Amino acid sequence: MRRNFFLLRVALFCCLAVLPLTGYAQNEISLKKQLTTQKHINSLFAKGKKPPFSFTYGDVNSSEFINKWKFTKRAIECNLPNTLKYEVLYTEPSGAMEVRCDVTGYTDFEAVEWVLHFTNKGEANSKNIKNVSASDICFTAKGNEAFTIFTARGSNGSRHDFAPIVIKTECDTTYTFMPKNGRSSDTFAFPFFNIVAGGNKGVMLSVGWTGTWFADFSLANGKLASHSGMKNTDLFLYPGESIRTPLVSLMFWEGGDRLDGQNRFRRFILAHHTHKIDGKNFVPPMCGGFEWGDPAPCNEYACLTEEMAVAMVKRHKQFGLVPEVFWLDAGWYEGAGGPNYEGRTWYNTVGTWKADKERFPNGLKPISKAAHDMGAKLMVWFEPERVYKGSDFYNNYPQWLIKSEKSNNALFDLGNKEACDFLCKHIGDFIEENGIDYYRQDFNCAADGYWAIKDKVDGRKGMSEIRHIEGLYRFWDYLLARFPNMVIDNCASGGRRLDLETTSRSIPLWRTDYNYGEPNGYQNHTHSLNMFLPLNATGTYSTDPYHWRSSISSSTGHNWAITAKGGFHIKDAQKVVEKFKILRDYFLEDFYPLSGDGNLTGDEHCIAYQLNKPSDSTGYVLAFRRGKNAPDKTVVRLRGLSPEKNYKLTDDDTNAVITKSGKELMEGFEITFDKAPGSRMLMYSAE
């Protein structure tokens, strides 16, 4: 009962967040039978058929006129494997307005996605464009099959971050999702949805928009209508002006159950929405810092010096703990640091992207060189969009800032082309001059208020957000093109900017700002976030098995105080490094939560998950008993095994070995704990 109440409460909160234009959907997609990608494209984008999107143009809904507009469709040559590309144009009879739909299909996953672009081809301002649903579709299934929607919360630095949301849809109810603060996975919503019909087929609907998107679902007459897009759009275009809208992706799956659909989606993300280096996915990095945290009033890395940083790199080498990436976080820039700078922290000095000359007289180059000499890379933290009063950008480039009378923070206007060009070169040159390998971007700001300020001046609601998000993508694409071996770490107050566009360019190496190092919350985040995104990480603060197992994911950040007396044993840390390098690959295949979809945040629960590698018939089970009130045993039912095969299970702590059939493991076996908190890690392999 408690679990169901939690899920319903979350669902209703999301439902009441906003109610945009809903009702009928103008393009119907049947889930009764799996279609090929090409057939889906042909069905969704065809002459005489209403497209899978809608908008209001001059106060008239597009459903009333879109079939009267000129329709053209052409295939675009594409050399990427398993990829189809089309340009579909809908042009107003007068030629004044053109709606271009860039369509991409992925034949290896039966996936179709599209992005709308509106262009004013006329000689006068366009009619107003509003109520843009980048997707306006209706799903149907066999007979009376029910629709269930599986999604998750966003992040706001709590134990509940990415908690599962399960909605068994009911007639005459609209379920609407929208994030907070202009960041795509902030607090209330997460732009990934598994829409399940009948239990053994469905579609993963994803939204790619790093601002305020919405998605709503409503059930009527056995059909599930869905609309998604950008919340705030009511604007006109100047002659020659063009805008884009959110990316919409549909990945169809059939067979098994929704967890098979989730794992198919994880593979889809790795194949088609993960940044490639030399045409291949990069290895999720093992990161390490420079002994984060100093005595007050120092904060973050505000008291780090060149000498200390280089010494710490050498210290890691001495202990056999060199990470793949050294991580330099906030506070390295002018004005931020030193014990004599009380009152000035990393937070209230952003906007000056120059190394502090007193602490880093030679810039950051000596640190990157020290890392490179050890065979490692250097990642450096930036927050270019938030500009604090008194900083370099604030004082010298006021024309590129959106300011608020209520805050000392200003927003650097990435929607201004001149400003975006400047930032590309400024940050790019700094990265090159200092030998930086990986770029970490944070964003500790509620952007939507600043966009509203500018929109009020311009009289075009939504334009500032559109231009800013377009500029963000252009900035990141510039960095990735200029530095082909770069990886971008996407933070935003910890995991609050996760969507299909950011996953295509970046990885969240700090998925939540939840209480640093608290293991029980970390278990929740791993258990739920990995159902959607295979690439994510958090910090590891202890070598104790319970703690590091709670923090493990496809990537990790070691935050060990390696110069502190009594902090840990070096050999224990070395073992953790070895274990991570083994486990990392397992997060890149199939992931199965074994503890259900309920509220597991309390210490009275046990929690478990499975990492399964179909590629070699091996895997791991990780299980945790939290507080003393949690059961001392839990039953887990494994997935993805062969019932007729025998599997050898090895306990990671004791090396004890047992053998069970795949049938026994899938029907359920008991894991016991001898203490609380306690953890068990079992490796299995087919005999």
Side-chain angles (χ1 to χ4, degrees), residues 128-150:
N128 261 38
I129 302 166
K130 58 184 179 180
N131 298 327
V132 178
S133 288
S135 71
D136 184 342
I137 46 188
C138 181
F139 299 105
T140 63
K142 293 180 180 178
N144 295 319
E145 286 183 327
F147 288 95
T148 305
I149 301 171
F150 294 86

Side-chain angles (χ1 to χ4, degrees), residues 619-660:
Y620 279 86
V621 176
L622 285 89
F624 303 89
R625 180 192 180 195
R626 292 170 171 168
K628 293 181 180 180
N629 293 329
D632 61 0
K633 61 187 68 173
T634 186
V635 175
V636 296
R637 295 171 177 82
L638 302 195
R639 301 286 302 262
L641 308 184
S642 298
E644 68 280 1
K645 289 184 178 180
N646 286 329
Y647 289 83
K648 182 175 71 174
L649 285 84
T650 304
D651 188 288
D652 187 68
D653 293 317
T654 66
N655 290 320
V657 177
I658 61 172
T659 299
K660 288 182 176 288

Side-chain angles (χ1 to χ4, degrees), residues 179-184 210-212 443 446-448 451 465 469 497:
K180 185 181 179 183
N181 294 326
R183 297 181 293 187
S184 52
T210 317
T212 306
F443 189 42
D448 51 358
W451 294 330
E465 176 178 344
I469 301 305
R497 255 181 164 180

